[in-house]
C-alpha cells in the first residue's frame, strides 16, 4: 500500500482528494489563532473574550459531528463533504466582516460546524480500503488533513500581508482591515486579516464543487450500506440503549459549560443563560426521542438481532473516551502551547509560535504511524493501550518542564509527547470503521464529538486554573503552576483511559481481513442490506 499510495488512481485518488478536503476544513477551522493578537487589538478584546472565542470555535463541533454522521450515513460522503466545504465560506465571510465581539462569536460558533468534516472522510476512506489497510489509510487521511492547523499557523499571516497589497476589492470596505503588525525580525508590514480569512472560505467552497465531480462514495460495483434510519444510533441490545442515552448526556453537559462561559464574558445575560440551558435540555430530550424511534422495535420486543449482527456499544463508549484524552488534549494544547513556551523560556511571540507548531507538525507522520502500527502490530487493542500510556506519561513529563531546562530538550519532549497523542488518534480511528459498518458515519460522528467534549473540558480546566491562580496571587496568575497542573490533568486522565482500554476494549472482529464484512474475493460486493433476525 505504501508503495502504491503515491499514484493518483483508484482508491489512492480518493484518499488524496479526501485528505485534502479535510486539510482545507482544518485550515478554515484554525484560521483565527494566527490573527488573534491583531484582532484583539482591533476590537479591544481582553484575555477572557479571546478565550471564549477559542471555546466557541470548538463548541458547535460537538453536535455538528453527530448530525453530520447521521447525514453521512444517509446521503453518502461525496455529497456531505462537498456541501460542508461550500458552507465553510459562510462563517468565514461573517467573521471577516464582523464589526463587534458578538459578531466574532457568531462567526466562530458557525465555524465549529466546519470542524465536523473529519468524520465524513472516515467513512469515505473505509469504503475504499480493506480492513487490513484501513488503519494506515485512516491515519494518512487524519494526519495529513490535520496538518491544516499547522499550515494555517505558518501561512495565514503571510497571506494577510500579500492580500494587503491587492486591489481594494479585497478590503471588504473596512479601513481597519489594514493593520500594522510588528515583527521583531523585520520592519513593519501591512496585514489584511479579513481578506485572508474570507479567502480560505472561498477556496474551500471551490474545492467542495471540485470534490463533488471527482469522487464517488464506493468503488464500482460496491453498495453503500445505509441504516434503515439515520435519526439516531442503532443498537442491538436493550442494555446498550440505556448505555447510549448515558453517553449522550456529556455532549449536552459540555454545551451547558460553554453557555456558562458565554455568560461570564457578558455574551449572554442571566435570562439568555437560562434559555440556552432549557434549549439544551430540549435538545437532549429530542435526541433521546430519535434514539427511541430508531430502536423502538428492539425495546418493545418486536425485534431481535441475530448474534452475528450484534455489536457491543461499550466499544463505542471506550473509543469516545480515548478520543477525549487524545484529540481533545491536542486541541487544548495547540491553543496554549505558544503562550507556554513564551512564558516559560522568555521567548518572543514569533519564536514561541514556531516552536509550538512542532506539536502540530508531528501529525504528518504520527497519526499515519499510529494507523500503520495498528495494522502491523497484530492487535488493535494493545496498540491503543500502549500509545495511550505513552501519551499519559508524556504529559506528566511536560508538567515538570521549567525555564531551567535546555530549550532543545523541552522541544524534543513536546515532539515525543505529540507522537503518542496523534498516533493514539490514528489508533482510535483504525478501530472505528470496524465496529459496525452500516452505521460507521454515526459512530465516527459520536467518537469525533467526544474529542471536542475533551477540548472544551480541558480548556475550561485551564481557564479555571488561571482564574484561581490569579485570585490567590493578587490578580497575577502564576503560570508555571497553572501549566504544570494543566499537563498533570492531561496525563492522569490519559492513564485512566489506558487502564480502561486494557480491561474493557475488545479486539474488533475481522480486524485484519482482506475484505469488508459481507464481501467475497469473487465479487468484493457487500449485500444490499444487513437484515436483522426477528
Amino acid at each position: 500500500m505504501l508503495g502504491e499510495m503515491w499514484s493518483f488512481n483508484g482508491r489512492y485518488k480518493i484518499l488524496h482528494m479526501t485528505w485534502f478536503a479535510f486539510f482545507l476544513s482544518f485550515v478554515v477551522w484554525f484560521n483565527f489563532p494566527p490573527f488573534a493578537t491583531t484582532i484583539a487589538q482591533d476590537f479591544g478584546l481582553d484575555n477572557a473574550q479571546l478565550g471564549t472565542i477559542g471555546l466557541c470555535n470548538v463548541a458547535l463541533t460537538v453536535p455538528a459531528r453527530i448530525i453530520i454522521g447521521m447525514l453521512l450515513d444517509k446521503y453518502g460522503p461525496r455529497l456531505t463533504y462537498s456541501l460542508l466545504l461550500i458552507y465553510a465560506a459562510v462563517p468565514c465571510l461573517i467573521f471577516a466582516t464582523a464589526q463587534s465581539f458578538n459578531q466574532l462569536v457568531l462567526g466562530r460558533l458557525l465555524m465549529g460546524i466546519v470542524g465536523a468534516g473529519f468524520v465524513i472522510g472516515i467513512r469515505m476512506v473505509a469504503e475504499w480500503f480493506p480492513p487490513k489497510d484501513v488503519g494506515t489509510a485512516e491515519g494518512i487521511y487524519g494526519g495529513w488533513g490535520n496538518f491544516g492547523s499547522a499550515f494555517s499557523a505558518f501561512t495565514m499571516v503571510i497571506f494577510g500581508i500579500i492580500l494587503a497589497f491587492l486591489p481594494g476589492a479585497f478590503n471588504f470596505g473596512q479601513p481597519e482591515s489594514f493593520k500594522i503588525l510588528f515583527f521583531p525580525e523585520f520592519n513593519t508590514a501591512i496585514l489584511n486579516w479579513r481578506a485572508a480569512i474570507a479567502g480560505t472560505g472561498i477556496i474551500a467552497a471551490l474545492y467542495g464543487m471540485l470534490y463533488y465531480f471527482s469522487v464517488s462514495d464506493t468503488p464500482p460495483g460496491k453498495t453503500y450500506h445505509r441504516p434503515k434510519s439515520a435519526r439516531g444510533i442503532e443498537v442491538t441490545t436493550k442494555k446498550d440503549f440505556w448505555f447510549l442515552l448515558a453517553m449522550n448526556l456529556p455532549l449536552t453537559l459540555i454545551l451547558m459549560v460553554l453557555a456558562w462561559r458565554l455568560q461570564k464574558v457578558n455574551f449572554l445575560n442571566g435570562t439568555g443563560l437560562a434559555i440556552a440551558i432549557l434549549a439544551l435540555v430540549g435538545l437532549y430530550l429530542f435526541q433521546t426521542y430519535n434514539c427511541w424511534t430508531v430502536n423502538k422495535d428492539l425495546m418493545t420486543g418486536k425485534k431481535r438481532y441475530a448474534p452475528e449482527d450484534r455489536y457491543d456499544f461499550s466499544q463505542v463508549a471506550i473509543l469516545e473516551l480515548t478520543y477525549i484524552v487524545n484529540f481533545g488534549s491536542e486541541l487544548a494544547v495547540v491553543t496554549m502551547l505558544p503562550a507556554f513556551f513564551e512564558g516559560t523560556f522568555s521567548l518572543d511571540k514569533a519564536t514561541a509560535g514556531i516552536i509550538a507548531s512542532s506539536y502540530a507538525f508531528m501529525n504528518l507522520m504520527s497519526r499515519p504511524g499510529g494507523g500503520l502500527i495498528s495494522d502491523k502490530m497484530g492487535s488493535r487493542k494493545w496498540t491503543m493501550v500502549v500509545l495511550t500510556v505513552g501519551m499519559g506519561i508524556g504529559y506528566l513529563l511536560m508538567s515538570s518542564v521549567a525555564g531551567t531546562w535546555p530549550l532543545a530538550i523541552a522541544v524534543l519532549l513536546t515532539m515525543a509527547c505529540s507522537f503518542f497523542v496523534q498516533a493514539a488518534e490514528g489508533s482510535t480511528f483504525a478501530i472505528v470503521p470496524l465496529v459496525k459498518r452500516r452505521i460507521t458515519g454515526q459512530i465516527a460522528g459520536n467518537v469525533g464529538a467526544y474529542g471536542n467534549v475533551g477540548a472544551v473540558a480541558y480548556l475550561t480546566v485551564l481557564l479555571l486554573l488561571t482564574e484561581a491562580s490569579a485570585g490567590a496571587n493578587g490578580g497575577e496568575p502564576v503560570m508555571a503552576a497553572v501549566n504544570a497542573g494543566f499537563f498533570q490533568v492531561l496525563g492522569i486522565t490519559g492513564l485512566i483511559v489506558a487502564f480502561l482500554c486494557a480491561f474493557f476494549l475488545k479486539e474488533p472482529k475481522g480486524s485484519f481481513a482482506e475484505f469488508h464484512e459481507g464481501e467475497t474475493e469473487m465479487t468484493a460486493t457487500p449485500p444490499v442490506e444487513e437484515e436483522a433476525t426477528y
Side-chain angles (χ1 to χ4, degrees):
M1 174 185 171
L2 292 178
E4 297 174 355
M5 65 169 290
W6 302 110
S7 69
F8 203 73
N9 299 312
R11 62 182 183 175
Y12 300 102
K13 172 188 174 183
I14 301 299
L15 177 61
H16 289 307
M17 292 206 68
T18 303
W19 77 250
F20 192 71
F22 179 37
F23 173 89
L24 284 179
S25 72
F26 256 48
V27 170
V28 168
W29 196 20
F30 287 96
N31 62 17
F32 164 69
F35 300 121
T37 304
T38 304
I39 293 172
Q41 293 172 353
D42 280 2
F43 289 89
L45 306 180
D46 57 31
N47 289 335
Q49 290 174 313
L50 277 179
T52 300
I53 291 175
L55 281 175
C56 290
N57 204 46
V58 300
L60 286 188
T61 315
V62 174
R65 287 193 169 188
I66 296 171
I67 295 169
I68 290 293
M70 295 175 182
L71 296 174
L72 165 63
D73 283 341
K74 184 173 183 178
Y75 297 107
R78 172 186 176 226
L79 177 62
T80 310
Y81 227 150
S82 298
L83 291 178
L84 185 72
L85 289 169
I86 293 169
Y87 161 82
V90 175
C92 283
L93 291 172
I94 290 174
F95 195 82
T97 57
Q99 297 299 304
S100 68
F101 171 68
N102 286 357
Q103 288 175 299
L104 292 174
V105 168
L106 175 63
R108 294 330 287 188
L109 282 171
L110 295 177
M111 197 80 74
I113 297 173
V114 180
F118 168 70
V119 304
I120 306 173
I122 290 296
R123 173 123 198 205
M124 175 66 94
V125 173
E127 289 293 329
W128 282 81
F129 286 83
K132 68 184 181 70
D133 293 328
V134 77
T136 305
E138 298 286 13
I140 291 170
Y141 163 72
W144 293 6
N146 216 338
F147 182 69
S149 62
F151 180 85
S152 185
F154 264 85
T155 62
M156 287 301 293
V157 171
I158 296 173
F159 290 148
I161 294 171
I162 293 172
L163 289 169
F165 294 97
L166 292 180
F170 290 86
N171 300 346
F172 293 91
Q174 307 297 335
E176 65 267 32
S177 65
F178 292 102
K179 293 296 175 182
I180 303 300
L181 183 66
F182 293 92
F183 292 94
E185 293 82 7
F186 51 85
N187 293 331
T188 60
I190 300 204
L191 178 67
N192 188 343
W193 64 265
R194 294 182 183 272
I197 286 177
T200 60
I202 293 170
I203 291 171
L206 292 173
Y207 187 78
M209 290 183 267
L210 174 65
Y211 189 80
Y212 181 80
F213 292 105
S214 303
V215 304
S216 59
D217 289 331
T218 63
K222 289 183 65 175
T223 301
Y224 187 77
H225 282 215
R226 291 175 169 86
K228 292 181 178 179
S229 174
R231 293 176 62 178
I233 289 185
E234 174 189 6
V235 294
T236 54
T237 65
K238 290 183 178 180
K239 68 177 179 63
D240 280 349
F241 176 78
W242 301 111
F243 200 176
L244 168 63
L245 298 189
M247 292 305 293
N248 283 343
L249 191 57
L251 302 173
T252 300
L253 293 177
I254 205 66
L255 293 175
M256 291 182 179
V257 170
L258 175 67
W260 167 70
R261 288 303 307 180
L262 291 175
Q263 193 259 347
K264 292 272 287 184
V265 296
N266 299 319
F267 182 78
L268 294 175
N269 56 26
T271 302
L273 177 62
I275 293 172
I277 290 176
L278 288 174
L280 290 171
V281 171
L283 179 64
Y284 176 76
L285 294 176
F286 179 68
Q287 186 181 22
T288 300
Y289 171 75
N290 282 335
C291 291
W292 169 262
T293 300
V294 171
N295 297 287
K296 179 173 63 175
D297 288 347
L298 171 70
M299 297 304 293
T300 56
K302 296 179 180 179
K303 180 178 184 178
R304 294 188 63 189
Y305 288 84
E308 64 272 13
D309 197 29
R310 295 175 187 167
Y311 77 98
D312 190 347
F313 184 78
S314 68
Q315 301 307 289
V316 179
I318 288 290
L319 292 173
E320 289 170 343
L321 296 181
T322 66
Y323 218 53
I324 283 179
V325 298
N326 52 48
F327 186 65
S329 68
E330 180 185 355
L331 288 179
V333 170
V334 165
T335 300
M336 58 78 66
L337 206 57
F340 169 75
F341 276 106
E342 180 183 352
T344 303
F345 295 97
S346 301
L347 303 174
D348 60 74
K349 291 183 184 296
T351 303
I354 292 172
I355 291 175
S357 67
S358 62
Y359 188 94
F361 258 107
M362 291 295 292
N363 266 302
L364 283 174
M365 65 174 186
S366 300
R367 194 153 182 164
L372 180 63
I373 293 169
S374 184
D375 284 345
K376 302 302 182 184
M377 187 173 175
S379 173
R380 300 198 187 276
K381 168 184 175 174
W382 289 107
T383 300
M384 188 80 257
V385 172
V386 170
L387 293 174
T388 307
V389 168
M391 178 192 72
I393 293 172
Y395 279 137
L396 291 176
L397 290 174
M398 287 191 68
S399 72
S400 64
V401 173
T404 56
W405 280 44
L407 179 59
I409 299 297
V411 172
L412 288 175
L413 175 59
T414 299
M415 296 176 71
C417 181
S418 175
F419 171 81
F420 282 102
V421 172
Q422 293 152 7
E425 296 166 9
S427 180
T428 295
F429 274 91
I431 299 174
V432 164
L434 303 174
V435 176
K436 192 62 180 172
R437 189 181 180 193
R438 66 172 174 257
I439 55 170
T440 293
Q442 293 179 78
I443 293 173
N446 274 51
V447 173
Y450 263 84
N452 290 84
V453 168
V456 175
Y458 286 138
L459 287 172
T460 301
V461 167
L462 180 60
L463 285 171
L464 293 175
L465 288 172
T466 303
E467 291 170 359
S469 177
N473 294 277
E476 288 296 328
V478 180
M479 292 310 299
V482 170
N483 292 329
F486 176 68
F487 283 121
Q488 286 167 7
V489 169
L490 300 183
I492 292 170
T493 53
L495 292 176
I496 290 172
V497 170
F499 175 84
L500 293 174
C501 287
F503 286 93
F504 299 107
L505 184 63
K506 301 174 184 177
E507 191 70 30
K509 296 178 182 178
S511 283
F512 306 100
E514 292 283 344
F515 303 100
H516 284 292
E517 176 186 3
E519 293 180 356
T520 66
E521 185 174 2
M522 294 294 293
T523 64
T525 304
V528 174
E529 180 63 46
E530 294 177 275
E531 294 293 346
T533 301
Y534 289 82

